[in-house]
Amino acid sequence: MPDAEVPLFARIVRAAVAQQDTIDHMLAEALPADWPLARIDPVLRALMRAAAAELAMAGGPPAKVVINEYLDETFPAVPLRPADALGRARVRAWTLYIATEPTWAIKAPSY
């Protein structure tokens, strides 16, 4: 695996396995009642468990980094952000603007 951090990967997998019951309970509570955890694709379920374990790690990466990486892995065919540095900077700037401006800054279209 190029650029893989094998010790970090092993730590995440061990944490996900050790905390699987707790993680599964949290995931099941977040799902609609008519959508049991077992209904989710096993690979996606494993990714969600790994993401939850990584988010819970002491000294782990920031949540936004974890979420972004897992989205990139889950939906590789759909680029969620531009490939070039300038495009990513623009997306970050707009995201920051939307997150910090009062709601009046977002104008609904009038018909």
Side-chain angles (χ1 to χ4, degrees):
M1 283 188 258
D3 300 326
E5 292 186 41
V6 176
L8 175 61
F9 178 74
R11 198 170 126 208
I12 293 168
V13 170
R14 285 189 193 103
V17 170
Q19 301 168 15
Q20 183 172 337
D21 290 340
T22 303
I23 292 169
D24 283 358
H25 180 72
M26 289 188 301
L27 291 172
E29 284 182 348
L31 293 170
D34 61 340
W35 197 284
L37 186 60
R39 186 174 174 184
I40 294 175
D41 176 76
V43 174
L44 183 56
R45 214 170 38 233
L47 278 170
M48 290 191 310
R49 287 172 177 149
E54 191 171 5
L55 285 169
M57 283 181 166
K64 63 183 178 181
V65 171
V66 174
I67 292 167
N68 207 7
E69 288 178 359
Y70 281 90
L71 284 173
D72 285 346
E73 290 301 319
T74 305
F75 303 104
V78 182
L80 299 174
R81 57 193 171 146
D84 63 299
L86 180 59
R88 287 192 306 274
R90 286 184 180 138
V91 168
R92 279 194 305 276
W94 274 108
T95 304
L96 180 62
Y97 173 76
I98 291 168
T100 57
E101 286 299 309
T103 54
W104 54 262
I106 302 170
K107 302 197 180 352
S110 57
Y111 298 99

